[in-house]
Amino acid sequence: MAIERFHIHVSDEILDDLTYRLHHTRWPDQIDNTGWERGTELSYLKSLISYWKEHYDWRAQETQLNRLSQFCCNIDGIDVHFVHERGKGPNPMPIILTHGWPDSYLRYQKIIPLLTDPASYGGNPEDSFDVIVPSLPGFGFSSRPKHAGVNSFRVSEMWAKLMTEELGYRKFAAAGGDIGSGVTRYLVANHPELLYGIHLTDIGIIRNLMASSDQAKLTEEELQYKKSASEWIAQEGGYMSVQSTKPQSLAYGLTDSPAGLAGWIVEKYRAWSDCNGNLQQKFNEDELITHIMLYWVTNTIGSSARMYYENSHSLPPLGYIDVPTGIALFPADILLPPKEWAVRNLNVIHWASLPRGGHFTAMEEPELLAQDICNFYRTFRVKMNH
């Protein structure tokens, strides 16, 4: 199908069913004097569900989301939902931003105006971008893959078609974090001629470094990464083990219970953000619940979890990335990559350590991330085709 306008409207039937489920939550207990160390804290989740029932207004959020220019088109048999906001500068550079899990295209909601219209925020109109933010297949308003094998590599091929065949860009920029970092790296590895450069906020979990048996060849920083990554996976990686091996079993409970879904997701926002254990420092309840709602109203928590299975079972290896790469690291993110490894595996020409922020970079610190993206791509603008 050709590109069509996309308008969010969730049926009253889905919302009424959700209200019923929220009012009939069956709660587990929690051992006395334990907090979050065994998972999402009961008292916190009860207060969040209470807010969801009594105060949260999906229709108001829906109206706000519909102010974004949203579209849908079919690529490789999957309906891809995406935001496409035009830049307001003299010669906007197109950029595709890819999100991860357990977030959504809303990861970039705050950063879109900063990139499309920098002049309105004290920046230079010459730094403006056309911003494209797709929803990953099986996430939010993109359709759920019906066949196995839709991994980060396959998604990167879809993004190449979206940007060139559907939107008509000859060359563009790309940025991402979490799953979006992998998609962006596969995109540039297989289509280097299409990219000015890529901008990443992480390099994922570096499995080949963790598997390296030749300790003598590793730097001190790489040895430390190996140790901390193993500890992190042992302590915090349970969700990843389940989603990489038995996502279908997990899907039943999370698809059936909104409280269960919220409990699975909010723990990650707390653990991975720069909030010092207090979610309210970085996110308000409406923001958190809207992310949870995107999974709930589209019934995509199961299909989103499957991306972990696909990536752990069918991804081809990535070689050296020759295209110029910018990396912006936020101090509270998980498993910050060793610089030496990054430089050996990517053509790193920009390395920034930012003063605050965690894994959900564009949600937590949109101004810092937007500024770094503008700084990185400024050098490429002289080469842009007019």
Side-chain angles (χ1 to χ4, degrees), residues 147-160:
H147 306 287
V150 180
N151 56 28
S152 292
F153 167 75
R154 285 278 305 279
V155 173
S156 75
E157 293 296 295
M158 294 167 69
W159 282 191

Side-chain angles (χ1 to χ4, degrees), residues 1-8 65-75 78-87 105 112 116 130-136 139-143 159 162-163 166-167 169:
M1 71 179 191
I3 292 176
E4 294 179 357
R5 276 267 176 191
F6 185 87
H7 180 84
I8 304 166
L65 294 181
N66 278 325
R67 292 190 184 121
L68 291 168
S69 298
Q70 296 172 94
F71 302 89
C72 190
C73 69
N74 191 281
I75 303 173
I78 293 171
D79 291 337
V80 176
H81 159 264
F82 62 98
V83 172
H84 188 196
E85 291 284 354
R86 301 278 182 180
Y105 79 106
I112 291 170
T116 55
D130 282 357
V131 177
I132 297 89
V133 188
S135 296
L136 290 165
F139 285 69
F141 300 112
S142 285
S143 65
W159 282 191
L162 172 65
M163 293 299 283
E166 300 294 339
L167 297 177
Y169 292 116

Side-chain angles (χ1 to χ4, degrees), residues 90-117:
N91 190 22
M93 175 184 279
I95 187 169
I96 184 166
L97 306 175
T98 310
H99 66 84
W101 186 94
D103 52 272
S104 66
Y105 79 106
L106 297 186
R107 173 190 270 241
Y108 296 110
Q109 186 178 8
K110 295 174 189 169
I111 206 175
I112 291 170
L114 303 177
L115 294 177
T116 55
D117 188 14

Side-chain angles (χ1 to χ4, degrees), residues 111-352:
I111 206 175
I112 291 170
L114 303 177
L115 294 177
T116 55
D117 188 14
S120 288
Y121 300 89
N124 186 337
E126 302 274 346
D127 284 334
S128 81
F129 292 86
D130 282 357
V131 177
I132 297 89
V133 188
S135 296
L136 290 165
F139 285 69
F141 300 112
S142 285
S143 65
R144 301 186 289 271
K146 291 183 168 53
H147 306 287
V150 180
N151 56 28
S152 292
F153 167 75
R154 285 278 305 279
V155 173
S156 75
E157 293 296 295
M158 294 167 69
W159 282 191
K161 291 176 184 176
L162 172 65
M163 293 299 283
T164 57
E165 295 172 19
E166 300 294 339
L167 297 177
Y169 292 116
R170 288 164 55 197
K171 200 158 185 169
F172 54 92
D178 196 84
I179 292 170
S181 167
V183 170
T184 302
R185 282 177 283 138
Y186 277 103
L187 176 60
V188 77
N190 294 301
H191 301 281
E193 73 287 351
L194 296 179
L195 279 297
Y196 292 109
I198 61 168
H199 187 278
L200 308 173
T201 53
D202 63 66
I203 316 179
I205 296 172
I206 307 171
R207 302 279 181 184
N208 62 358
L209 177 54
M210 291 182 66
S212 172
S213 55
D214 193 350
Q215 306 277 52
K217 285 188 176 171
L218 300 181
T219 67
E220 195 173 321
E221 195 186 5
E222 288 171 325
L223 289 169
Q224 182 55 48
Y225 176 89
K226 222 179 140 166
K227 180 172 179 288
S228 56
S230 298
E231 289 170 358
W232 186 87
I233 288 170
Q235 297 296 322
E236 298 287 341
Y239 77 98
M240 198 164 44
S241 298
V242 174
Q243 294 183 176
S244 299
T245 57
K246 299 290 184 284
Q248 192 66 28
S249 299
L250 177 71
Y252 298 109
L254 301 190
T255 299
D256 194 53
S257 167
L261 177 63
W264 192 250
I265 286 177
V266 294
E267 184 229 312
K268 303 308 171 202
Y269 279 89
R270 180 182 178 273
W272 300 350
S273 67
D274 194 6
C275 74
N276 298 308
N278 178 7
L279 275 156
Q280 276 79 7
Q281 277 192 20
K282 288 290 177 181
F283 314 103
N284 62 45
E285 286 101 333
D286 284 341
E287 194 171 14
L288 289 169
I289 293 169
T290 298
H291 267 281
I292 296 161
M293 282 289 287
L294 273 192
Y295 286 95
W296 183 264
V297 300
T298 59
N299 194 5
T300 52
I301 190 60
S303 52
S304 72
R306 283 200 291 267
M307 179 66 93
Y308 283 77
Y309 187 97
E310 304 297 353
N311 280 346
S312 65
H313 286 77
S314 61
L315 265 185
L318 258 176
Y320 179 78
I321 288 173
D322 200 28
V323 171
T325 301
I327 296 176
L329 300 181
F330 291 73
D333 202 351
I334 43 184
L335 299 179
L336 299 177
K339 188 171 183 178
E340 296 97 328
W341 187 93
V343 168
R344 282 204 310 275
N345 289 275
L346 303 116
N347 179 13
V348 178
I349 65 164
H350 171 95
W351 181 275

